[in-house]
């Protein structure tokens, strides 16, 4: 699938005029006819993009297992909804193709599933003492590299604005998949929140579905909390996989794979059932709320 580059400044006026004309449609009639018919479920990472791992499992495998289970659960419980998976095996799918699958299918929801991870941090410690040339006793420092294994919880993201150099570790990790693609400069022409021109266009696209995305994200977090998960909240971040979504879209981190207890939970049958049931209930609640 070929990505369509962001429009240039000369086309901004056309976009604005189009938006104004769309707003002139009878919104009440649209709301009455609107139904959730197609949901795209995205298993994060895959193939060569799969370095994040816990003590015995990888994020890409856990995300795929969860996505496939969720897809089947939706099909069994929401007969009027079509489910599309961005991948159903260990395949590398570029980020722009993931959202293109949803856009081309005219999907009503896009849900990307991931596992969180803590970054490796370095710290210095005194490993012993020695004497310098003057015979003075001085400490010998070494560097220790480790990551927090106690951090836990769930969080859900929607597309927001933010400068690249202000992104936190989780967002940098998710966006890093871009650089594994052969033609990433061409594929993501315009995905640069630091550029005023692209920021305008991305802002228009995000704001169109911002309220709905936040609503779905909150419903997902509420379901997690109801079963006792640690709530890390809903956040708006500059995520490449969500940037061009033509529908409400979220990215949910179902747990920390760097935490042994959460890794076990996400890999267990009971954990998988609980996580996917939470997502199903949130989707069902969202569907009811927008179809009234």
């Amino acid at each position: 699938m070929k990505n369509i580059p962001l429009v240039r400044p000369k086309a901004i006026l056309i976009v604005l005029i189009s938006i104004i004309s769309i707003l002139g449609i009878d919104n009440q009639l649209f709301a009455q006819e609107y139904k959730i018919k197609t949901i795209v479920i995205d298993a994060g990472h895959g193939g060569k993009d799969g370095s994040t791992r816990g003590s015995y499992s990888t994020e890409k495998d856990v995300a795929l297992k969860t996505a496939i289970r969720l897809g089947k659960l939706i099909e069994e419980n929401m007969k009027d909804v079509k489910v599309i998976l961005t991948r159903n095996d260990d395949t590398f799918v570029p980020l722009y193709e993931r959202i293109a699958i949803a856009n081309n299918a005219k999907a009503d929801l896009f849900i990307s599933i991931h596992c969180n991870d803590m970054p490796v941090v370095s710290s210095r410690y005194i490993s012993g003492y020695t004497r310098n040339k003057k015979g003075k006793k001085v400490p010998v420092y070494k560097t220790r590299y480790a990551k927090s294994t106690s951090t836990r919880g769930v969080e859900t993201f929607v597309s927001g604005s933010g400068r690249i150099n202000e992104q936190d570790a989780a967002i940098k990790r998710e966006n890093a998949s871009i650089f594994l693609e052969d033609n990433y400069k061409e594929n993501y022409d315009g995905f640069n929140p630091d550029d005023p021109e692209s920021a305008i266009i991305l802002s228009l696209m995000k704001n169109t579905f911002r309220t709905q995305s936040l609503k779905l994200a909150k419903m997902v977090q509420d379901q997690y909390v109801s079963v006792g998960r640690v709530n890390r909240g809903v956040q708006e971040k500059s995520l490449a996989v969500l940037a061009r979504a033509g529908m409400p879209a979220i990215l949910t981190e179902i747990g920390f794979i760097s935490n042994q207890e959460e890794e076990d939970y996400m890999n267990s049958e009971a954990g998988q059932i609980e996580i996917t049931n939470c997502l199903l209930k949130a989707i069902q609640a969202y569907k009811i709320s927008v179809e009234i």
Side-chain angles (χ1 to χ4, degrees):
M1 288 174 218
K2 185 65 177 174
N3 185 46
I4 300 175
L6 291 176
V7 294
R8 291 292 137 206
K10 291 181 180 179
I12 292 178
L13 183 58
I14 297 174
V15 174
L16 292 175
I17 292 173
S18 299
I19 292 173
I20 291 171
S21 64
I22 290 171
L23 292 176
I25 295 173
D26 187 342
N27 291 329
Q28 184 174 0
L29 178 62
F30 175 78
Q32 290 172 347
E33 296 180 348
Y34 180 69
K35 301 290 183 184
I36 301 293
K37 298 177 182 177
T38 304
I39 298 175
V40 171
I41 302 173
D42 172 48
H45 307 284
K48 61 183 178 180
D49 176 22
S51 60
T52 302
R53 63 179 304 113
S55 60
Y56 61 86
S57 64
T58 61
E59 176 186 9
K60 65 177 183 177
D61 289 339
V62 175
L64 179 60
K65 183 193 306 184
T66 307
I68 291 174
R69 182 185 286 266
L70 176 60
K72 291 179 179 177
L73 202 58
I74 292 172
E75 290 174 340
E76 291 169 0
N77 292 274
M78 302 173 73
K79 302 294 186 181
D80 57 337
V81 174
K82 178 183 179 181
V83 173
I84 298 173
L85 299 179
T86 58
R87 68 180 180 96
N88 51 25
D89 56 21
D90 187 19
T91 302
F92 173 67
V93 182
L95 295 184
Y96 77 91
E97 283 194 12
R98 294 170 187 265
I99 203 61
I101 290 170
N103 287 336
N104 292 340
K106 295 180 172 57
D108 302 291
L109 290 178
F110 178 85
I111 299 171
S112 189
I113 298 173
H114 292 252
C115 301
N116 223 329
D117 186 37
M118 288 299 291
V120 174
V121 295
S122 61
S123 59
R124 297 181 71 201
Y125 66 98
I126 298 175
S127 63
Y129 292 88
T130 187
R131 294 188 180 278
N132 60 20
K133 294 180 179 179
K134 296 181 178 181
K136 183 178 179 180
K137 187 178 180 182
V138 294
V140 175
Y141 291 96
K142 285 190 176 181
T143 302
R144 179 187 293 114
Y145 298 92
K147 65 172 67 177
S148 170
T149 57
S150 60
T151 305
R152 62 173 60 213
V154 287
E155 56 191 340
T156 301
F157 298 98
V158 303
S159 185
S161 59
R163 300 180 71 83
I164 293 294
N165 60 3
E166 293 173 352
Q167 293 174 357
D168 58 29
I171 303 308
K172 286 181 179 178
R173 186 179 70 251
E174 304 303 355
N175 284 340
S177 301
I178 288 174
F179 304 110
L180 296 175
E181 300 172 23
D182 294 333
N183 301 314
Y184 73 87
K185 289 184 179 180
E186 178 183 352
N187 295 338
Y188 298 95
D189 176 35
F191 182 74
N192 179 6
D194 294 327
D195 174 47
E197 294 175 11
S198 55
I200 292 172
I201 303 302
L202 289 174
S203 177
L204 289 172
M205 297 177 72
K206 291 173 202 168
N207 288 337
T208 304
F209 300 103
R210 177 178 177 273
T211 300
Q212 297 97 316
S213 298
L214 286 170
K215 183 176 186 178
L216 175 60
K218 185 179 185 304
M219 288 178 169
V220 167
Q221 286 298 122
D222 287 346
Q223 287 298 325
Y224 288 149
V225 172
S226 72
V227 296
R229 305 296 303 281
V230 175
N231 184 15
R232 294 173 61 87
V234 173
Q235 301 183 50
E236 295 183 70
K237 297 289 184 179
S238 185
L239 281 157
V241 73
L242 303 181
R244 289 184 173 89
M247 73 292 298
I250 64 171
L251 184 153
T252 186
E253 303 272 8
I254 62 174
F256 277 82
I257 202 165
S258 50
N259 179 298
Q260 182 69 67
E261 187 176 336
E262 291 209 334
E263 181 183 17
D264 291 342
Y265 170 77
M266 290 186 290
N267 279 281
S268 70
E269 181 70 9
Q272 280 285 301
I273 290 173
E274 190 166 81
I275 291 167
T276 52
N277 277 336
C278 284
L279 291 168
L280 174 67
K281 289 177 181 178
I283 293 167
Q284 289 175 321
Y286 177 83
K287 186 175 188 293
I288 291 172
S289 72
V290 299
E291 292 184 353
I292 290 178

